[in-house]
Amino acid sequence: MVIFLVNWLDHGRTLREQGVEETEMLLLRRKFFYSDQNVDSRDPVQLNLLYVQARDDILNGSHPVSFDKACEFAGYQCQIQFGDHNESKHKPGFLDLKEFLPKEYIKNKGEKKIFQAHKNCQNMTEIEAKVSYVKLARSLQTYGVSFFLVKEKMKGKNKLVPRLLGITKESVMRVDEKTKEVIQEWSLTNIKRWAASPKSFTLDFGDYQDGYYSVQTTEGEQIAQLIAGYIDIILKKKKSKDHFGLEGDEESTMLEDSVSPK
């Protein structure tokens, strides 16, 4: 898994206020995965943004997938880029595999498998193929999880071990850095408070757990902003539901548009 350091801009301030120069290149990405279940073919712009981000995260290893699943994704990608499969044109050697498979699978000679998956997409429009791609991406266990590579202190030992700290719309999870298995998971609603410093990040679960959970990281501020943003969405959703009796995806979209991490 590749962990990329992302410095999110503050949407409450202009680019000039944040020191962004005219010559700088910015990357548009989704930060909060809270209400994208309602994005489909009726919203092609958001659908394309979800597709591009999911595709890039699968190819760079942020979303680990099996070889078979990677080829299935690549089949949809072929349909999106080339249209229907053409036997005389789409043959082994046609694809630049590093553009279609995660790097660990490039040597697996998966082009035939990709083209078989491509054939299964026959007659799909570009929009339909993107919908299918995003739907498949949403089924991944790692979809919507923002991972941070941190270091934990081993119990009873003065030794630090690498750990993946995952943040989702519902929880914070400790994940084994090698096996990618979830070791422990806490609900965001159980977090009492948190603190970020230049070299560490600490969570306090109050009565839900004895002691603090603390890790060494230089990304404490980014972790704090993400947790604050999700909790803000949860609180606003609860407040609106209590006040107006609203519920459902449309409300989630409205709330997410106005979220402002505290």
Side-chain angles (χ1 to χ4, degrees), residues 126-161:
E126 179 183 339
I127 292 292
E128 289 170 340
K130 285 180 179 178
V131 169
S132 296
Y133 192 106
V134 170
K135 185 177 179 181
L136 185 61
R138 285 188 183 122
S139 71
L140 297 176
Q141 191 177 8
T142 53
Y143 181 77
V145 182
S146 298
F147 285 107
F148 299 88
L149 186 59
V150 300
K151 289 184 178 181
E152 285 183 1
K153 186 177 180 181
M154 290 182 68
K155 284 187 178 181
K157 296 183 179 180
N158 192 24
K159 182 181 179 182
L160 294 172
V161 293

Side-chain angles (χ1 to χ4, degrees), residues 166-184:
I167 313 296
T168 77
K169 65 179 182 180
E170 298 172 339
S171 64
V172 176
M173 57 179 70
R174 294 172 61 224
V175 179
D176 187 283
E177 191 254 343
K178 292 182 179 178
T179 67
K180 309 302 184 290
E181 292 181 2
V182 178
I183 301 169
Q184 191 173 9

Side-chain angles (χ1 to χ4, degrees), residues 11-260:
H11 64 268
R13 295 191 295 154
T14 66
L15 297 180
R16 181 172 292 180
E17 286 174 337
Q18 296 177 74
V20 178
E21 302 291 338
E22 291 183 6
T23 55
E24 289 188 62
M25 185 177 293
L26 303 179
L27 180 64
L28 180 63
R29 289 176 63 87
R30 191 178 187 89
K31 184 176 183 180
F32 299 107
F33 289 82
Y34 202 89
S35 62
D36 64 0
Q37 294 295 331
N38 61 344
V39 178
D40 55 24
S41 58
R42 294 170 296 179
D43 191 346
V45 175
Q46 277 209 70
L47 174 63
N48 185 63
L49 291 174
L50 281 179
Y51 160 68
V52 170
Q53 186 164 339
R55 180 199 65 197
D56 291 351
D57 286 344
I58 287 165
L59 294 179
N60 68 36
S62 294
H63 292 325
V65 296
S66 66
F67 174 66
D68 288 345
K69 194 68 75 177
C71 290
E72 189 176 352
F73 277 114
Y76 286 126
Q77 189 179 337
C78 285
Q79 186 69 17
I80 292 164
Q81 293 186 208
F82 310 128
D84 286 343
H85 181 76
N86 185 327
E87 291 282 358
S88 61
K89 183 179 180 181
H90 301 142
K91 297 178 179 180
F94 176 79
L95 296 178
D96 182 356
L97 289 179
K98 68 176 181 291
E99 301 292 331
F100 290 84
L101 290 174
K103 64 180 181 180
E104 64 264 33
Y105 298 138
I106 290 176
K107 294 181 180 179
N108 288 32
K109 299 181 180 179
E111 204 163 1
K112 285 185 178 180
K113 200 172 184 69
I114 292 173
F115 283 139
Q116 184 55 54
H118 185 194
K119 289 178 185 177
N120 295 337
C121 302
Q122 199 75 8
N123 298 323
M124 273 190 186
T125 65
E126 179 183 339
I127 292 292
E128 289 170 340
K130 285 180 179 178
V131 169
S132 296
Y133 192 106
V134 170
K135 185 177 179 181
L136 185 61
R138 285 188 183 122
S139 71
L140 297 176
Q141 191 177 8
T142 53
Y143 181 77
V145 182
S146 298
F147 285 107
F148 299 88
L149 186 59
V150 300
K151 289 184 178 181
E152 285 183 1
K153 186 177 180 181
M154 290 182 68
K155 284 187 178 181
K157 296 183 179 180
N158 192 24
K159 182 181 179 182
L160 294 172
V161 293
R163 189 74 70 212
L164 289 174
L165 187 67
I167 313 296
T168 77
K169 65 179 182 180
E170 298 172 339
S171 64
V172 176
M173 57 179 70
R174 294 172 61 224
V175 179
D176 187 283
E177 191 254 343
K178 292 182 179 178
T179 67
K180 309 302 184 290
E181 292 181 2
V182 178
I183 301 169
Q184 191 173 9
E185 193 168 4
W186 300 281
S187 171
L188 286 179
T189 56
N190 290 350
I191 298 176
K192 184 179 180 181
R193 55 187 174 178
W194 59 87
S197 74
K199 294 185 179 181
S200 68
F201 181 76
T202 303
L203 287 168
D204 177 7
F205 296 96
D207 296 335
Y208 292 101
Q209 178 176 303
D210 293 332
Y212 300 141
Y213 173 67
S214 187
V215 296
Q216 282 195 10
T217 176
T218 57
E219 298 179 83
E221 190 57 42
Q222 289 93 322
I223 298 171
Q225 288 178 8
L226 202 58
I227 291 175
Y230 277 129
I231 290 179
D232 202 31
I233 293 171
I234 292 170
L235 292 176
K236 285 184 177 181
K237 183 169 183 175
K238 185 179 185 301
K239 184 177 179 181
S240 292
K241 184 181 176 183
D242 291 343
H243 187 70
F244 299 108
L246 293 175
E247 215 169 356
D249 287 338
E250 290 183 5
E251 180 214 358
S252 298
T253 304
M254 174 190 72
L255 293 169
E256 186 171 3
D257 286 342
S258 62
V259 64
S260 177

